[in-house]
Amino acid sequence: MKPWLGGGLAGLFVLLAILFVNSCSTIPRTVLAPPEIPGANYVGNPACFECHTNYVRAFPASPHARVHIPGAAMAGQSGCESCHGPGSKHIAAGGGRGQFIVNPGRDAAACFNCHLETHAEFSLPQHHPVIEGKMNCVQCHDPHGADIFKPAGGLAMARLNQSCAQCHRDQSRPFVFEHEALREGCTTCHNPHGSINSKMLIERDNNLCLKCHAMQQSLQSGIFIGKVDHTYNLRLGGCWSAGCHTAIHGSNFSPHHLY
């Protein structure tokens, strides 16, 4: 073999190895690690029915009901116990809150076993204080709820703005002049888990508003939003921070969203 050919093949081999490693490292993965309770065994969903009737009845319509753990030793690992842990000791103790059972409503760690991307979002600079223990997932999500609500996914803010309204009452109350974006839900503008942007906005400054309020260039080189010339206004800063549309969630006084 000629030296230059051998060197070329070696270089090609190294390149292919690097591409292989990088491709493997970017393969999406889902971690399904059911909680463990020392000494407890899986009993299956029917055993939960006697005490938790409403939850067990609603659960088949939930996205969580479609969770199946490959190679599970018992069927119970793919039902209620996939989030709450094996229930034999809980049943033997007569039930009770937190009695030999995992309660994701108190500790989000059980949710983070599968929702790795969401866990990462809570580490962004602006986030709801879940990892600090001041909130929990079930304050916003119904883990047993049906998969029939907007936005798509059911568990993702299943009650639309009502989930946010429990805490953010001023922003979600009815307005005479409403911001139409609220009809689509708070998550149209905010990432409820976390964001690098202030107020957990999905985009910075005017970039967010202009996704809906598209600009057009006039023949006189002015920048119009609708029929209003915004050429000068856009130089002042954000649509709300510049003092133009300060009542961004809605107003009782101005159709232009002013307090």
Side-chain angles (χ1 to χ4, degrees), residues 47-125:
C48 307
F49 182 81
E50 184 174 348
C51 297
H52 305 284
T53 306
N54 292 337
Y55 290 141
V56 176
R57 283 178 175 172
F59 188 66
S62 168
H64 279 156
R66 297 193 289 272
V67 173
H68 294 283
I69 302 173
M74 293 186 63
Q77 287 179 266
S78 296
C80 304
E81 292 161 299
S82 62
C83 295
H84 295 285
S88 62
K89 295 184 70 173
H90 177 68
I91 294 174
R97 292 182 178 272
Q99 187 77 358
F100 299 109
I101 203 73
V102 173
N103 185 354
R106 294 185 178 182
D107 185 0
C111 305
F112 293 154
N113 284 336
C114 296
H115 301 283
L116 302 180
E117 181 178 348
T118 301
H119 191 190
E121 288 176 333
F122 281 120
S123 298
L124 295 174

Side-chain angles (χ1 to χ4, degrees), residues 180-201:
E180 290 86 348
L182 288 176
R183 301 176 188 175
E184 300 299 323
C186 303
T187 54
T188 302
C189 297
H190 301 276
N191 184 336
H193 299 126
S195 172
I196 60 173
N197 303 314
S198 176
K199 304 182 187 301
M200 293 187 284
L201 293 172

